[in-house]
Structures are given as C-alpha cells and as structure tokens.
Amino acid sequence: MSNASKFGKVAVLLGGKSAEREVSLDSGTAVLEALVRSGVNAEAFDPQDRSVTELVNYDRAFIVLHGRGGEDGQIQGVLEWLNVPYTGTGVQGSAIGMDKVKTKQVWQGSELPTAPYRIVSKDSDAADMVHSLGLPLIIKPVHEGSSIGMSKVEKIEDFAEAIAKATEHDAVVMAEKWITGREFTIVVLNGQALPVIRLEPPQDVAFYDYEAKYNRNDVQYGIPCGLSEAEEQQLKALSLRAFQAVGASGWGRIDAMQDEQGNFWLLEVNTVPGMTSHSLVPKAAAAVGYSFDELCVAILEQTLTGSAH
C-alpha cells in the first residue's frame, strides 16, 4: 500500500486476559503481519503485559482482543478517554453485543427473530425450563464467546451438569431453545453484508463448538451457501438490521440458523470476530476479492473517517 504513512503509529491490540486469549494472540499476530506487509507502522500491544495508558503514544488502534476486556466496551472506553481512534464497534454496541441476553432483548424489541430463551441458575426448575423451551436446548454463559462453556442438553438429567459447566465461566447463564436446521454466518464490512457462509461441522460434533472453530480441519464452509438468491438476500438484510440494532459498526459477524420450516433465527453478534487462518471473516472477504492484507487495511481505514470513534 503506497500511502500507509497516513495511519501513523498503529497499536494492534491482542492477547488480553479473557478466556479467548490464545485465539486473540493468533488473530492479532495475523493482522499485525498483514499490516506490516502493507507498509503500516504497526506494533503488537498486549494489555496483559502493558499499561493501557501507554496507548496514548499511538495514532490509532486495531482491536483484535476477543472476549471480555476487548469485545465488551472496556478497551473501547479507554481508547475514547485517550482520544485514540479505533476499529470496529463503539462502547455501547460492544457492551450490548458481548451480552447475549441484552442482544436478544434488543432484537426482540426490534421485532427481529431470535430463539426463545430463559436466564437460568443452579436453582432453576429443569422441568419448568423444558416445558418452556422444549428439548433439546442449549445452555450458554451470557458473556463468553467462541462457544466457551456451552452444552447441548438432550435429556432433563443433563440440565444441572450443563449449568454447572457454564457457571464456571460466567455468573449469568441462559437456556435457549435448540433450533434444528442449517447454520450460517454473515460477515458485515463497512455497512455491507458479504456473501453468506454455511457452516457444516462434522457429524460427531453437536454444534459449531470451540474445538470445531479453532482446532479441527474437517468443518465445511460453504460459499455459495446453498440458499436461494432470494433467501440469501433476505438473510443479508436481516443481518444488517440485527447488526445495526445493537449499535455495532465497522466490521463484525452475525450468526444465524435456518430451521427446517425455512425460517431464519438470529443467534448472536460478534463485534471482534476471529482473524486466524480458520476464521470466517477472511473467507467471506475473499469471496468478494479481498486478500487478507487488503481486508486488514480496509478495517484499519475505518479509523480515518469522520464517523470513527
């Protein structure tokens, strides 16, 4: 890139203290290398090792911190305070997007389709939950990403164990109706929905879990996604509305399902998605002609516009 000097000195924020630290280190290293190849004066910055006050010495920040501390509005607030422009979603949208229940409440209030859910604890009545949501259902920590702490519950006897597993990661846990059907992810970049990707985990995986996301090479990614043109356009439009409803901006990902009747259901939003070799954002961007390096520069360019944080 000829004019990389316009970015000044860039901090690539990676690592951090969340349960997703290792993935963030992989993503951040990939982004850093891409920016350096493109001529950008970029450096790695791990908030676990350095005081965030040092960010005042940078002209802008590329946030690749996944999970708590990086994806929930905390680092965004620090950067706002220091007046350092940064990539992606602002404080409020990050905080909502990281909270699966708040996200669902916003979507429900916006009349967007999302699976029924209940907040649960170890004291919750399993029979009541099953009556309300049916079986199977999925138990999730409310504030974790990368499918950490999630369990599919197929019989009532497994309910307590699933809650205990989720509670290890989060004080707030939710039960969500299990949707049988096809899983899709929709990448949003600069106000556009990129081609939809269909996720097909191998048969021995109950859902697209942490292991499938990061460690396995037998997950199938479908582009084109197998939907009709009309369905794909419908899902893209729905995803853009969902992304904007929570206040997300710049770049990110919406995960959704299509049930066996053909209805779409929104699952969650990712405001700092993975950028590793396994990740979905680079796959979707490649489908519209972006190389990985071009994608990283395009995301960084969000910090130059008048609408930047």
Side-chain angles (χ1 to χ4, degrees):
M1 177 170 170
S2 55
N3 192 19
S5 60
K6 65 185 174 184
F7 294 118
K9 190 176 176 188
V10 178
V12 177
L13 286 157
L14 77 177
K17 294 183 287 191
S18 85
E20 297 176 78
R21 174 176 171 78
E22 293 306 315
V23 182
S24 175
L25 288 169
D26 287 350
S27 286
T29 301
V31 169
L32 176 65
E33 290 170 353
L35 294 178
V36 169
R37 279 194 299 270
S38 303
V40 177
N41 178 17
E43 296 176 1
F45 191 108
D46 186 343
Q48 179 168 285
D49 302 335
R50 295 170 67 182
S51 167
V52 291
T53 56
E54 292 181 44
L55 288 165
V56 75
N57 300 318
Y58 292 85
D59 295 299
R60 60 202 71 250
F62 194 125
I63 300 174
V64 209
L65 291 165
H66 305 315
R68 296 188 210 188
E71 207 165 346
D72 58 2
Q74 289 188 42
I75 198 70
Q76 290 80 4
V78 168
L79 291 162
E80 300 254 349
W81 184 254
L82 299 176
N83 208 21
V84 176
Y86 57 89
T87 53
T89 295
V91 175
Q92 184 184 38
S94 298
I96 293 171
M98 193 69 208
D99 185 317
K100 295 182 176 74
V101 169
K102 291 282 184 289
T103 297
K104 280 179 165 291
Q105 289 169 340
V106 167
W107 285 344
Q108 287 173 333
S110 307
E111 298 185 340
L112 294 165
T114 186
Y117 72 97
R118 299 270 295 275
I119 295 175
V120 296
S121 72
K122 62 183 189 313
D123 303 321
S124 296
D125 183 332
D128 180 49
M129 209 58 57
V130 169
H131 177 72
S132 170
L133 299 173
L135 282 174
L137 51 79
I138 190 155
I139 303 288
K140 301 178 177 180
V142 170
H143 303 98
E144 286 292 354
S146 289
S147 309
I148 288 168
M150 283 169 44
S151 305
K152 181 180 182 181
V153 174
E154 306 207 44
K155 49 186 194 291
I156 200 164
E157 296 77 37
D158 298 338
F159 192 76
E161 185 185 340
I163 290 178
K165 178 181 171 186
T167 309
E168 287 174 17
H169 299 279
D170 199 342
V172 189
V173 174
M174 65 190 278
E176 186 180 60
K177 179 184 171 72
W178 182 269
I179 294 174
T180 300
R182 300 193 289 174
E183 186 168 354
F184 298 96
T185 197
I186 306 88
V187 172
V188 178
L189 180 65
N190 293 336
Q192 302 288 315
L194 301 186
V196 175
I197 303 177
R198 181 176 176 195
L199 307 178
E200 295 184 72
Q203 292 299 308
D204 62 327
V205 176
F207 57 91
Y208 189 53
D209 61 3
Y210 188 91
E211 182 71 14
K213 279 184 170 128
Y214 301 113
N215 298 327
R216 294 179 64 136
N217 291 309
D218 53 358
V219 179
Q220 300 292 309
Y221 302 101
I223 308 180
C225 64
L227 292 169
S228 70
E229 177 68 21
E231 284 179 317
E232 182 161 4
Q233 292 307 324
Q234 179 192 351
L235 182 52
K236 282 182 170 183
L238 184 63
S239 300
L240 282 174
R241 283 176 57 206
F243 196 73
Q244 289 152 2
V246 298
S249 60
W251 71 297
R253 238 182 61 217
I254 295 280
D255 295 334
M257 297 282 299
Q258 185 185 40
D259 68 21
E260 291 169 317
Q261 288 72 47
N263 305 304
F264 290 118
W265 298 92
L266 298 161
L267 297 179
E268 56 187 87
V269 59
N270 294 278
T271 54
V272 185
M275 289 289 276
T276 69
S277 59
H278 276 60
S279 297
L280 300 162
V281 173
K283 291 182 199 300
V288 290
Y290 281 91
S291 70
F292 186 76
D293 293 10
E294 288 165 343
L295 169 64
C296 293
V297 170
I299 294 170
L300 185 61
E301 282 183 331
Q302 295 165 4
T303 63
L304 296 171
T305 64
S307 61
H309 310 288

